[in-house]
Amino acid sequence: RGRCEGAAGRERDESPVGEKGVAVAGDKGARIEKARQLAESGEFTQAIDAWRQLLDGIPNNDANVYNTIGDLCLKSKATPDAIDAYSKAARCYLQDGFHLKAVALYKKILKLDPNRAEVYTLLGDLNVVRGLMNNAVADYLSGAKTYLKIGKAMNALTLFRKITRADPQNTDMRLRVAELCLKENLTEEA
């Protein structure tokens, strides 16, 4: 199991182990209930703090807790914090082998900030692993366009190369790679 096995490897009411190896299930359950009550009453900042404190007691960070924190950050209009929490949740899901859940979180991030080229790259990589080459090409292309907009041509070139590996018959993309290599003075690679 991965570092974030708490997301799937343990039920929410299972007892975590305290500092001296003593189960603290009642305390965790009460803390979860308190965090939920704070959220339901609209006290999002306090609820976020309560959920973050739960992470301190979980030996393997829990993707579900990060996802909840992200949702609460959104409700409190803290979009950058929400994106950070969703990214952590997605990483946990990936480490635990839950690719579809990671994909859903990455898409959630892109709805909040469509200029995250690195997230398009991660989605593309996941789609390659899942055998969805058309989706991978679309994600890589979106990421490459974003990188080009912000002046990161070498990052875009990396994604264009990934597209040519995912879709070797794509001659248009091979031409784009060659053109970008020439533009970046990479004449041997062009």
Side-chain angles (χ1 to χ4, degrees), residues 128 133 140 158-168 174:
V128 166
M133 295 308 169
Y140 289 147
T158 298
L159 292 183
F160 286 151
R161 287 181 178 139
K162 285 185 177 208
I163 292 171
T164 61
R165 283 193 295 276
D167 184 8
R174 290 185 179 281

Side-chain angles (χ1 to χ4, degrees), residues 22-188:
V22 178
V24 290
D27 181 49
K28 181 183 178 191
R31 289 168 44 196
I32 288 172
E33 187 56 36
K34 177 70 174 167
R36 287 185 179 148
Q37 288 173 356
L38 288 166
E40 288 172 10
S41 66
E43 298 177 54
F44 301 125
T45 304
Q46 293 90 337
I48 292 166
D49 289 341
W51 282 108
R52 284 189 174 136
Q53 287 174 6
L54 277 168
L55 286 172
D56 294 339
I58 300 172
N60 300 302
N61 290 331
D62 192 321
N64 293 323
V65 174
Y66 280 123
N67 191 27
T68 300
I69 290 170
D71 291 344
L72 292 169
C73 288
L74 268 187
K75 288 179 181 179
S76 65
K77 310 228 184 298
T79 303
D81 292 337
I83 289 171
D84 181 59
Y86 291 144
S87 294
K88 289 176 181 174
R91 279 193 300 270
C92 289
Y93 282 135
L94 281 177
Q95 289 175 355
D96 287 341
F98 294 106
H99 295 165
L100 286 176
K101 289 182 178 190
V103 166
L105 283 166
Y106 287 139
K107 287 182 178 182
K108 198 184 248 191
I109 291 168
L110 288 172
K111 281 185 180 180
L112 297 171
D113 183 0
N115 294 316
R116 296 239 173 200
E118 72 281 1
V119 176
Y120 286 113
T121 304
L122 292 166
L123 272 174
D125 292 346
L126 272 170
N127 282 318
V128 166
V129 168
R130 296 172 58 221
L132 302 172
M133 295 308 169
N134 289 337
N135 292 10
V137 168
D139 291 328
Y140 289 147
L141 191 55
S142 295
K145 287 178 181 178
T146 303
Y147 278 131
L148 287 173
K149 271 195 262 182
I150 60 174
K152 293 189 173 185
M154 295 306 292
N155 295 61
L157 182 58
T158 298
L159 292 183
F160 286 151
R161 287 181 178 139
K162 285 185 177 208
I163 292 171
T164 61
R165 283 193 295 276
D167 184 8
Q169 306 303 317
N170 190 333
T171 53
D172 290 337
M173 192 52 57
R174 290 185 179 281
L175 286 172
R176 278 180 102 169
V177 167
E179 289 170 1
L180 193 53
C181 284
L182 289 173
K183 184 178 175 185
E184 295 297 314
N185 295 320
L186 301 169
T187 52
E188 287 187 25

